Amino acid sequence: MVVKVLGLRSRSYQVRSFIGDPDRTKKKHKSSCRGAINDIITKNYKYFPNLKKNITDLDAQEKRNEEKVIDDFFSIMDSLIKEFSARFSQFKELLETFKFIMYPDVISFDKLNLSQFDWLEMEEIEMQLIDFQSSSIWIQKFIETRKKLELIEAERLTSNISKNTSNEILETWNSIPDAFNCLKKLAYAILTILSSTYACESLFSEINNIKDSLRNRLTDI
């Protein structure tokens, strides 16, 4: 009922980078939610044109439930604010660890929060990180990668040409020798962390397209 009357549509967003500013992103989402609530209170419906249309189309009997529907909407928005706050608090705790995939040449082992990676050999990671940061070859490798990513971002902003930067980071880590296998495992683990449920939801949609009810009824001839 709430979704129908308010004209809400669910959308999935993928975080562009793990090494951004989680506080700024968190404030942005909270501000958006607060702005949406104020939009409903003032009945401007600037951000909810479908809501405005649906309320306008309500008959006299349905209009008596309008306030209850809006109250339910406020409850939903409040839940969203709390959910985003919790999610970005988790990102903040792991911010320095996420930076590892781009800055292994300068990051300090003491700043890494590896509580979620206890399956790795911690002592070995520390020793490999020391050896890694002592090698000018691998330091230069990541300096060049960061420069390349900056050029890709500049190209995206100026020419609207989008490239997958994750591939560049992955290729760089793939080129690192297995002597740093623990560092590579940590990098791969971070790179496979889902920033949202977007990828899972897309996969389920693809599965539904392939394994539908008609296909399930097909038999061998």
Side-chain angles (χ1 to χ4, degrees):
M1 176 64 178
V2 175
V3 173
K4 179 180 178 182
V5 174
L6 295 178
L8 298 177
R9 295 292 183 272
S10 61
R11 300 179 68 182
S12 298
Y13 295 92
Q14 190 169 22
V15 178
R16 292 185 60 84
S17 172
F18 281 123
I19 57 176
D21 185 345
D23 283 331
R24 184 173 60 182
T25 309
K26 176 181 174 182
K27 290 177 182 177
K28 180 180 178 181
H29 283 293
K30 288 183 70 174
S31 177
S32 298
C33 291
R34 298 295 182 191
I37 290 175
N38 290 333
D39 188 45
I40 301 297
I41 292 175
T42 57
K43 296 188 177 182
N44 289 324
Y45 306 122
K46 176 182 178 182
Y47 305 111
F48 300 94
N50 289 336
L51 169 60
K52 183 176 182 179
K53 181 180 183 302
N54 287 327
I55 288 180
T56 303
D57 294 343
L58 290 176
D59 58 34
Q61 184 176 0
E62 290 176 325
K63 275 190 176 293
R64 287 182 293 182
N65 296 324
E66 179 183 344
E67 293 301 323
K68 182 182 183 305
V69 171
I70 292 178
D71 286 341
D72 290 341
F73 171 75
F74 287 156
S75 177
I76 293 172
M77 295 301 295
D78 187 55
S79 297
L80 284 174
I81 292 172
K82 291 178 180 177
E83 182 180 341
F84 277 120
S85 296
R87 177 173 297 184
F88 287 104
S89 293
Q90 293 172 353
F91 274 101
K92 185 177 181 180
E93 292 174 3
L94 294 172
L95 178 60
E96 290 299 321
T97 307
F98 289 151
K99 286 182 178 180
F100 172 78
I101 60 174
M102 285 287 294
Y103 300 92
D105 51 316
V106 294
I107 199 165
S108 171
F109 177 80
D110 295 333
K111 290 186 177 181
L112 295 176
N113 181 352
L114 301 177
S115 58
Q116 303 299 320
F117 306 93
D118 53 2
W119 47 273
L120 291 171
E121 300 176 24
M122 298 303 166
E123 292 184 3
E124 192 65 25
I125 287 179
E126 185 174 10
M127 294 305 298
Q128 288 186 14
L129 186 60
I130 292 172
D131 291 340
F132 185 90
Q133 294 177 348
S134 300
S135 172
S136 58
I137 296 175
W138 307 122
I139 290 175
Q140 187 61 33
K141 185 79 173 177
F142 276 89
I143 290 175
E144 291 173 357
T145 298
R146 290 194 291 269
K147 287 181 179 178
K148 189 172 183 179
L149 292 176
E150 288 177 4
L151 291 175
I152 291 175
E153 181 65 11
E155 190 176 42
R156 183 187 70 83
L157 294 173
T158 56
S159 306
N160 200 26
I161 299 175
S162 181
K163 294 182 180 179
N164 192 339
T165 55
S166 297
N167 289 341
E168 298 292 338
I169 301 172
L170 184 59
E171 287 176 5
T172 300
W173 276 105
N174 284 339
S175 68
I176 302 300
D178 288 338
F180 303 106
N181 63 321
C182 288
L183 299 184
K184 293 177 71 172
K185 287 178 182 178
L186 176 58
Y188 294 151
I190 295 173
L191 285 168
T192 54
I193 293 175
L194 295 176
S195 56
S196 74
T197 59
Y198 168 79
C200 293
E201 291 169 359
S202 296
L203 178 60
F204 287 137
S205 296
E206 290 297 325
I207 291 175
N208 288 333
N209 290 335
I210 297 172
K211 189 175 175 59
D212 58 14
S213 57
L214 178 61
R215 186 182 180 90
N216 289 341
R217 290 197 296 270
L218 295 178
T219 58
D220 295 333
I221 298 176

